Amino acid sequence: MPRDSPRDSPRPLPDPRSFDPVSFPGQTEGEAWPPAHFDFTAPWILGGKLAFERDASGEMCVVRRFEHLRLVVPFEAAHRMLELAPGGRDFRLLRLVPAALRFVEVVTPGDPVPLLLRDAEAVMPADHHLYAATTSLMEALARQTGEEGRALSDAIRRVQPGRDMFERALVHCVTVDGLSMEWIAPVARRLQRLTNAHARVLAAVASQPGYASMERIVGQTRRSLAADRRWASDLLTHALVGIEPILARPRLAAELLQRQAEAVLRRGGALGDIQELVAEQDRLRDRLHDLSTFWQRLVAAWLSVHPETTDRREIEALTRNTIRRLGLRSLYLSP
């Protein structure tokens, strides 16, 4: 068979930490952004009754509490309600909140900015990731591992979620169900390895930035420029028109990687070669981590854009950052 040509072979990815640095709109020279905390300065924000959450549709909203009542305001209108002029530091902090709500339930003034937004390494799987990974294995356990797998599956359902749930389920199988330790322990060890590997995948999925929100902001920015006669035929407007059809590429790649990781758990006879399964989960996790690292800061920077007031040169810079990342073909291929 003929060998693949160099053009068809995927190129190795550059170092995501040094590739094409991204600056946030309004970021000054030497300023570290995002900051360590949501340290707003406006006194009406610091009154103690304001928080930022997600509404029923999943979008960010502002919540101001009046006893048992809440005032919910869409994110796009939040700066007007809070009387924050576009471009100021409090405004720029406000535009970081939607990205932060990817990782926390509520943001209140003074809270720390999530480490992932500050270019820190991805966090380890939390207990809920481990429990979700274990739940995903239930079907495979019942279908593929025979009596010992079914017994372990039933035992796991009875124990409280946690990092030691496999050990507690194993004890239950031996002390309550009367199964042999030599018989059930090898299955428990293999499944625990696979569960931990899939939990790492779920943690990587949870660390993905808000691609859909970025797509919406880019569309709003393009429409704002097109509506202005000064920029309607400008190269920047044409560039934004050109990237819109392919801007979903990182989001679709992340969704595909997640589906592939879930399919591995349901593959017929999959639990036979646990070492290969764990390696495959780790490959998928690494690619998800690559996606997050390349796009996390850029997505957060796009969410900081106010289409009508952000400096055109800053939008140009973010557009160049986006085009360069969309051109990394290897980043979007299955491992």
Side-chain angles (χ1 to χ4, degrees), residues 219-331:
Q220 291 174 352
T221 304
R222 190 266 304 163
R223 289 190 292 273
S224 177
L225 290 174
D228 189 327
R229 286 183 298 177
R230 295 173 300 171
W231 311 117
S233 300
D234 188 76
L235 288 176
L236 173 59
T237 306
H238 286 298
L240 290 172
V241 170
I243 65 175
E244 269 195 285
I246 60 173
L247 192 56
R249 188 172 289 171
R251 173 173 57 82
L252 295 176
E255 292 172 354
L256 176 60
L257 291 167
Q258 182 179 5
R259 290 196 300 271
Q260 289 176 334
E262 292 169 350
V264 167
L265 303 182
R266 297 179 174 87
R267 184 185 303 161
L271 298 181
D273 188 354
I274 204 75
Q275 184 172 351
E276 176 56 31
L277 277 179
V278 170
E280 190 168 353
Q281 292 282 316
D282 285 343
R283 284 192 294 269
L284 293 167
R285 180 265 177 196
D286 289 344
R287 183 52 53 84
L288 283 162
H289 181 62
D290 287 340
L291 273 170
S292 176
T293 307
F294 274 104
W295 282 96
Q296 191 75 253
R297 185 175 176 87
L298 179 55
V299 169
W302 269 115
L303 296 187
S304 299
V305 167
H306 185 256
E308 297 175 1
T309 62
T310 298
D311 191 283
R312 179 182 176 280
R313 291 168 296 182
E314 294 175 326
I315 296 175
E316 285 180 344
L318 293 180
T319 303
R320 286 194 296 270
N321 292 137
T322 305
I323 291 171
R324 288 169 183 155
R325 281 162 175 76
L326 290 172
L328 296 173
R329 288 185 62 247
S330 300
L331 184 60

Side-chain angles (χ1 to χ4, degrees), residues 41-117:
T41 58
W44 51 89
I45 294 180
L46 300 175
K49 293 186 178 181
L50 183 141
F52 306 98
E53 303 174 5
R54 288 190 178 276
D55 62 18
S57 66
E59 297 299 325
M60 193 207 86
C61 63
V62 180
V63 179
R64 186 181 292 276
R65 302 184 184 279
F66 296 95
E67 299 300 334
H68 61 286
L69 300 177
R70 302 195 316 166
L71 175 63
V72 180
V73 180
F75 168 62
E76 295 300 331
H79 68 280
R80 292 194 292 271
M81 186 199 80
L82 296 173
E83 300 181 2
L84 301 178
R89 192 175 187 280
D90 278 354
F91 175 87
R92 292 191 291 136
L93 275 176
L94 180 69
R95 306 298 282 200
L96 284 176
V97 172
L101 287 172
R102 299 283 298 179
F103 312 112
V104 294
E105 294 292 327
V106 180
V107 171
T108 57
D111 283 353
V113 175
L115 290 176
L116 280 173
L117 293 185

Side-chain angles (χ1 to χ4, degrees), residues 148-203:
E148 64 269 43
R150 288 191 294 272
L152 187 60
S153 174
D154 291 339
I156 287 174
R157 289 191 177 96
R158 297 190 186 103
V159 301
Q160 290 295 319
R163 295 182 180 272
D164 62 342
M165 57 188 166
F166 269 92
E167 288 81 357
R168 286 183 283 121
L170 181 61
V171 170
H172 185 280
C173 288
V174 173
T175 60
V176 178
D177 296 335
L179 297 178
S180 167
M181 176 69 78
E182 292 77 10
W183 191 39
I184 196 70
V187 174
R189 285 195 298 269
R190 288 158 51 212
L191 293 175
Q192 187 171 30
R193 287 184 59 204
L194 183 55
T195 297
N196 289 338
H198 191 59
R200 291 192 291 271
V201 171
L202 295 180

